[in-house]
Amino acid sequence: MLAVGMSAFVGTHLLMSHPLRAGMVRQFGQGGFLGIYSLISLVAFSGAVIAFGKASSSPQLWEGQAVVPWVLASVLTLVATALFLASLAGNPALAGTDVAGLSTRLPHGAFKVTRHPMMSAFTLWGVAHILVAPNARTLILAGGMIALAVIGSRGQDAKKVALHGQDWRVWMKRTNFLPNPAALGHLGLYWLGAVPVWLLLTWLHLKMALIPAGIWVWFEAY
């Protein structure tokens, strides 16, 4: 059931984001499309999460709570948080953003790292969860999110080229599709914002999902 649920979530998301989007916007308007898109995505993802909770968490491919995978996953989720926060400002990939003259701009901040910081954040989130919970149900759920982020990024590039032509082609040449770890320092002040957000989210992970995350694994007894 989990595989069916994630397939439905990924499939409907990709269909509505790309081939069906223009027709749905014409039929229902931008607001109507976003409402339908959000509702279908929420229902599909909720079904996948419920199936995830019912699926077995064993066997484990390795000990996910050992120090090395746990530290790696914690670092990846912190990086993902910084990338996600940075992706909310000045991101030409976001819907409705004016990209006129993009070919004259030089990438800065998160876009020194990747032109898809939000999608990269989701990908890192998925990888981190697989590291600490290497079982079939996590591979399906997190792997589906990774596939959605990667395929969605490719589809986004294709859509932007079709809409904006040379502006986006030049932007693609100046930016990386895959994140460049050496450029993470360009996130600057977003690191300061990421730390408290990451601490809060990982604390909520323990309190709401009853599964420790980040540094809170050492405080789960409390």
Side-chain angles (χ1 to χ4, degrees):
M1 289 302 294
L2 175 56
V4 172
M6 276 309 291
S7 296
F9 173 69
V10 173
T12 54
H13 187 96
L14 291 175
L15 283 171
M16 290 187 295
S17 295
H18 302 290
L20 299 182
R21 183 185 183 106
M24 291 179 70
V25 170
R26 286 195 300 269
Q27 182 71 26
F28 304 107
Q30 184 68 20
F33 162 74
L34 290 175
I36 295 171
Y37 176 92
S38 299
L39 178 61
I40 292 176
S41 295
L42 178 61
V43 170
F45 189 65
S46 296
V49 170
I50 291 171
F52 175 85
K54 294 180 178 180
S56 173
S57 61
S58 59
Q60 302 281 326
L61 298 178
W62 59 80
E63 179 50 60
Q65 294 197 8
V67 172
V68 171
W70 197 270
V71 170
L72 284 175
S74 298
V75 171
L76 288 178
T77 51
L78 177 59
V79 173
T81 303
L83 281 172
F84 182 82
L85 293 176
S87 75
L88 300 176
N91 188 349
L94 294 179
T97 303
D98 181 14
V99 301
L102 185 62
S103 58
T104 65
R105 305 180 207 170
L106 294 176
H108 64 282
F111 308 104
K112 286 277 193 179
V113 182
T114 171
R115 67 175 169 276
H116 295 292
M118 185 178 290
M119 296 298 192
S120 294
F122 294 146
T123 299
L124 294 178
W125 174 92
V127 171
H129 281 73
I130 291 172
L131 282 173
V132 297
N135 51 54
R137 69 174 189 172
T138 306
L139 287 169
I140 294 172
L141 185 73
M145 293 297 292
I146 293 169
L148 179 59
V150 173
I151 297 170
S153 296
R154 288 296 188 190
Q156 193 173 67
D157 280 337
K159 181 173 64 178
K160 293 293 186 179
V161 166
L163 289 173
H164 306 292
Q166 186 64 12
D167 271 332
W168 199 263
R169 289 190 186 94
V170 172
W171 184 247
M172 289 174 64
K173 290 178 180 179
R174 290 177 176 166
T175 54
N176 301 307
F177 181 81
L178 296 175
N180 176 15
L184 287 171
H186 289 281
L187 292 174
L189 293 177
Y190 286 105
W191 285 113
L192 295 178
V195 171
V197 171
W198 178 78
L199 287 172
L200 175 61
L201 291 176
T202 50
W203 179 80
L204 289 173
H205 198 284
L206 171 60
K207 296 301 180 182
M208 299 178 69
L210 303 181
I211 301 172
I215 66 170
W216 305 110
V217 68
W218 291 288
F219 296 93
E220 60 179 314
Y222 302 98

